[in-house]
mmCIF file of all heavy atoms in Angstrom:
data_model
loop_
_atom_site.group_PDB
_atom_site.id
_atom_site.type_symbol
_atom_site.label_atom_id
_atom_site.label_comp_id
_atom_site.label_asym_id
_atom_site.label_seq_id
_atom_site.Cartn_x
_atom_site.Cartn_y
_atom_site.Cartn_z
ATOM 1 N N ALA A 6 -48.325 69.850 -145.880
ATOM 2 C CA ALA A 6 -49.200 70.700 -146.608
ATOM 3 C C ALA A 6 -50.668 70.241 -146.336
ATOM 4 O O ALA A 6 -51.552 71.125 -146.133
ATOM 5 C CB ALA A 6 -48.927 70.692 -148.064
ATOM 6 N N LEU A 7 -50.908 68.949 -146.409
ATOM 7 C CA LEU A 7 -52.328 68.464 -146.198
ATOM 8 C C LEU A 7 -52.784 68.762 -144.846
ATOM 9 O O LEU A 7 -53.895 69.220 -144.620
ATOM 10 C CB LEU A 7 -52.336 67.002 -146.465
ATOM 11 C CG LEU A 7 -53.732 66.301 -146.186
ATOM 12 C CD1 LEU A 7 -54.753 66.937 -147.034
ATOM 13 C CD2 LEU A 7 -53.548 64.757 -146.402
ATOM 14 N N LEU A 8 -51.947 68.563 -143.765
ATOM 15 C CA LEU A 8 -52.260 68.951 -142.468
ATOM 16 C C LEU A 8 -52.517 70.415 -142.258
ATOM 17 O O LEU A 8 -53.375 70.847 -141.422
ATOM 18 C CB LEU A 8 -51.188 68.447 -141.455
ATOM 19 C CG LEU A 8 -51.025 66.901 -141.365
ATOM 20 C CD1 LEU A 8 -49.844 66.536 -140.416
ATOM 21 C CD2 LEU A 8 -52.312 66.310 -140.744
ATOM 22 N N THR A 9 -51.775 71.216 -142.930
ATOM 23 C CA THR A 9 -51.975 72.679 -142.885
ATOM 24 C C THR A 9 -53.403 73.066 -143.369
ATOM 25 O O THR A 9 -54.118 73.846 -142.734
ATOM 26 C CB THR A 9 -50.871 73.424 -143.614
ATOM 27 O OG1 THR A 9 -49.611 73.060 -143.163
ATOM 28 C CG2 THR A 9 -51.072 74.896 -143.514
ATOM 29 N N TYR A 10 -53.788 72.487 -144.506
ATOM 30 C CA TYR A 10 -55.098 72.812 -145.073
ATOM 31 C C TYR A 10 -56.169 72.317 -144.088
ATOM 32 O O TYR A 10 -57.139 73.108 -143.718
ATOM 33 C CB TYR A 10 -55.289 72.101 -146.413
ATOM 34 C CG TYR A 10 -54.756 72.760 -147.564
ATOM 35 C CD1 TYR A 10 -53.529 72.348 -148.114
ATOM 36 C CD2 TYR A 10 -55.352 73.880 -148.080
ATOM 37 C CE1 TYR A 10 -53.012 72.995 -149.279
ATOM 38 C CE2 TYR A 10 -54.858 74.484 -149.296
ATOM 39 C CZ TYR A 10 -53.640 74.117 -149.801
ATOM 40 O OH TYR A 10 -53.138 74.704 -150.956
ATOM 41 N N ILE A 11 -56.025 71.174 -143.502
ATOM 42 C CA ILE A 11 -57.046 70.679 -142.577
ATOM 43 C C ILE A 11 -57.143 71.534 -141.302
ATOM 44 O O ILE A 11 -58.221 71.808 -140.784
ATOM 45 C CB ILE A 11 -56.765 69.176 -142.190
ATOM 46 C CG1 ILE A 11 -56.845 68.299 -143.428
ATOM 47 C CG2 ILE A 11 -57.656 68.660 -141.151
ATOM 48 C CD1 ILE A 11 -56.453 66.897 -143.268
ATOM 49 N N ALA A 12 -55.948 71.897 -140.811
ATOM 50 C CA ALA A 12 -55.883 72.769 -139.579
ATOM 51 C C ALA A 12 -56.593 74.159 -139.773
ATOM 52 O O ALA A 12 -57.327 74.521 -138.932
ATOM 53 C CB ALA A 12 -54.417 72.947 -139.113
ATOM 54 N N VAL A 13 -56.233 74.743 -140.964
ATOM 55 C CA VAL A 13 -56.914 76.070 -141.199
ATOM 56 C C VAL A 13 -58.387 75.909 -141.326
ATOM 57 O O VAL A 13 -59.198 76.714 -140.692
ATOM 58 C CB VAL A 13 -56.305 76.655 -142.513
ATOM 59 C CG1 VAL A 13 -57.074 77.888 -142.938
ATOM 60 C CG2 VAL A 13 -54.822 77.082 -142.256
ATOM 61 N N ALA A 14 -58.869 74.969 -142.033
ATOM 62 C CA ALA A 14 -60.324 74.771 -142.203
ATOM 63 C C ALA A 14 -61.005 74.342 -140.884
ATOM 64 O O ALA A 14 -62.059 74.886 -140.537
ATOM 65 C CB ALA A 14 -60.559 73.606 -143.182
ATOM 66 N N GLY A 15 -60.281 73.545 -140.053
ATOM 67 C CA GLY A 15 -60.763 73.266 -138.730
ATOM 68 C C GLY A 15 -60.906 74.478 -137.829
ATOM 69 O O GLY A 15 -61.942 74.632 -137.038
ATOM 70 N N ILE A 16 -60.008 75.400 -137.881
ATOM 71 C CA ILE A 16 -59.973 76.550 -136.922
ATOM 72 C C ILE A 16 -61.165 77.478 -137.374
ATOM 73 O O ILE A 16 -61.854 78.080 -136.523
ATOM 74 C CB ILE A 16 -58.645 77.259 -137.016
ATOM 75 C CG1 ILE A 16 -57.577 76.434 -136.353
ATOM 76 C CG2 ILE A 16 -58.735 78.575 -136.429
ATOM 77 C CD1 ILE A 16 -56.155 77.075 -136.499
ATOM 78 N N VAL A 17 -61.449 77.575 -138.703
ATOM 79 C CA VAL A 17 -62.435 78.530 -139.138
ATOM 80 C C VAL A 17 -63.824 77.986 -138.680
ATOM 81 O O VAL A 17 -64.631 78.861 -138.332
ATOM 82 C CB VAL A 17 -62.437 78.561 -140.687
ATOM 83 C CG1 VAL A 17 -63.640 79.313 -141.216
ATOM 84 C CG2 VAL A 17 -61.152 79.293 -141.170
ATOM 85 N N VAL A 18 -64.070 76.676 -138.728
ATOM 86 C CA VAL A 18 -65.374 76.182 -138.316
ATOM 87 C C VAL A 18 -65.453 75.726 -136.923
ATOM 88 O O VAL A 18 -66.508 75.170 -136.462
ATOM 89 C CB VAL A 18 -65.805 74.975 -139.286
ATOM 90 C CG1 VAL A 18 -65.802 75.477 -140.717
ATOM 91 C CG2 VAL A 18 -64.823 73.839 -139.094
ATOM 92 N N LEU A 19 -64.461 76.000 -136.106
ATOM 93 C CA LEU A 19 -64.405 75.554 -134.739
ATOM 94 C C LEU A 19 -65.565 76.172 -134.008
ATOM 95 O O LEU A 19 -65.660 77.456 -133.943
ATOM 96 C CB LEU A 19 -63.067 75.949 -134.097
ATOM 97 C CG LEU A 19 -62.704 75.406 -132.759
ATOM 98 C CD1 LEU A 19 -62.509 73.923 -132.829
ATOM 99 C CD2 LEU A 19 -61.462 76.028 -132.183
ATOM 100 N N PRO A 20 -66.428 75.420 -133.336
ATOM 101 C CA PRO A 20 -67.580 75.963 -132.652
ATOM 102 C C PRO A 20 -67.341 76.561 -131.281
ATOM 103 O O PRO A 20 -68.101 77.358 -130.728
ATOM 104 C CB PRO A 20 -68.535 74.779 -132.543
ATOM 105 C CG PRO A 20 -67.622 73.522 -132.482
ATOM 106 C CD PRO A 20 -66.442 73.841 -133.331
ATOM 107 N N GLN A 21 -66.196 76.205 -130.705
ATOM 108 C CA GLN A 21 -65.831 76.699 -129.355
ATOM 109 C C GLN A 21 -65.668 78.233 -129.379
ATOM 110 O O GLN A 21 -65.131 78.759 -130.432
ATOM 111 C CB GLN A 21 -64.573 76.049 -128.802
ATOM 112 C CG GLN A 21 -64.809 74.617 -128.221
ATOM 113 C CD GLN A 21 -65.008 73.624 -129.277
ATOM 114 O OE1 GLN A 21 -64.729 73.828 -130.461
ATOM 115 N NE2 GLN A 21 -65.676 72.499 -128.902
#
Side-chain angles (χ1 to χ4, degrees):
L7 177 60
L8 291 175
T9 301
Y10 277 103
I11 295 175
V13 171
I16 291 174
V17 172
V18 301
L19 192 67
Q21 281 74 18

